[in-house]
Amino acid sequence: MDVVTLGEALGVFAPSPSGALHAGGSARFAVGGAELNVAIGLSRLGHHVGWAGRVGDDAVGRAVRSVLRAESIDDTHVHVDPDAATGIYVKESVGLGRLRVSYHRSQSAATKMEGAEADFDYLLSGRILHLTGITPALSTSAEELLHQLMSEAARRGVTVSLDANVRHRLVNRRTPTQLLAPFLSAADLLFLSAEEGEELLGIRTATDAVERFADLRASVLVVHDASGAYAVDQDGVTTVTARALHVVDPVGAGDAFVAGYLSGHLRGWPVRQCLHLAEVCAAHVVTVEGDHEGFPAEAEAMAELGVTAPRAER
């Protein structure tokens, strides 16, 4: 396994054609979730990926497993909960290029994740374990599971990738900084949006990022937004500029960026090339409706980069 990821999958309902949801209208159904999107992206780029989590014994949960299998993602460690539903969210376009997203995930199957049922040998069987800040915000048991998992990953020498993915509506009685601080400090590869960088680490500029990088465990700190991204590592700062695009659907852009970067990292590419692949993947996703539907196949992404030997030796 190249990458194993753990998180929450969701059913996604979006009016079709795009707009606001109203009685008598039609809606497009898909599945999403930050970790699921990353898994799909990595699989399309030619990597062996596993996704683990909990879904309900319902139509949405079955759709999640169907998508995993269709995308050649290992689903052998998906737990089906007979007593809790799979979460959903509604994504509406409300004018001026803005989206309104409504989540319905309280007491979902994913909130019941806990260490007692987790197979740590499986979760840590990949070269990279990918996590997000969403999972510890779901419940106390999910938060404790991530603490245990990251601790064991460090003990076994497994690389941990963490995308902050702050969800303010999920955080209960704590700030995102209070909740996520121990996870940020334990990650080996750390991804933040520019907004999250400022909120969680006080990063406003690349100079700030260099200063904070010295206090982190991470070998690479990546900060991104719609204008581009920069990465900080032991060699300094590397920057990539995002191309000008007509954005159709921005949801999933960060997940696509992370998947692209991780793919380059798995291939042993230098940071600059990883950032370029990340930008290519994010650009493809935002120009197509859906959280991950626009993610490019490996050959397509490599052709755009001008890479003739797509796969690194394992």
Side-chain angles (χ1 to χ4, degrees), residues 10 19 62 84 100 114 131 179 201 221 226 236 250-251 284 296 306:
L10 298 160
R62 289 188 286 276
R100 178 170 61 208
E114 60 180 2
L131 305 168
L179 174 66
L201 296 178
L221 166 64
V251 177
H284 276 264

Side-chain angles (χ1 to χ4, degrees), residues 1 10 14 54 127 136 143 150 168 208 221 223 227-228 237 277:
M1 204 76 74
L10 298 160
R54 288 176 65 92
R127 295 167 59 191
E143 179 186 359
M150 292 185 78
H168 290 93
D208 294 336
L221 166 64
V223 181
S227 66
V237 180
L277 179 55

Side-chain angles (χ1 to χ4, degrees), residues 166-218:
V166 171
R167 295 292 186 269
H168 290 93
R169 296 178 191 176
L170 285 178
V171 179
N172 185 23
R173 296 187 301 276
R174 285 179 291 178
T175 67
T177 302
Q178 291 170 329
L179 174 66
L180 297 181
F183 302 108
L184 299 179
S185 63
D188 299 296
L189 303 170
L190 180 58
F191 299 90
L192 304 163
S193 69
E195 184 177 339
E196 290 165 347
E198 182 170 357
E199 178 178 6
L200 299 175
L201 296 178
I203 294 173
R204 294 180 177 84
T205 66
T207 300
D208 294 336
V210 171
E211 292 176 357
R212 290 309 308 269
F213 176 72
D215 301 325
L216 298 172
R217 169 191 172 90

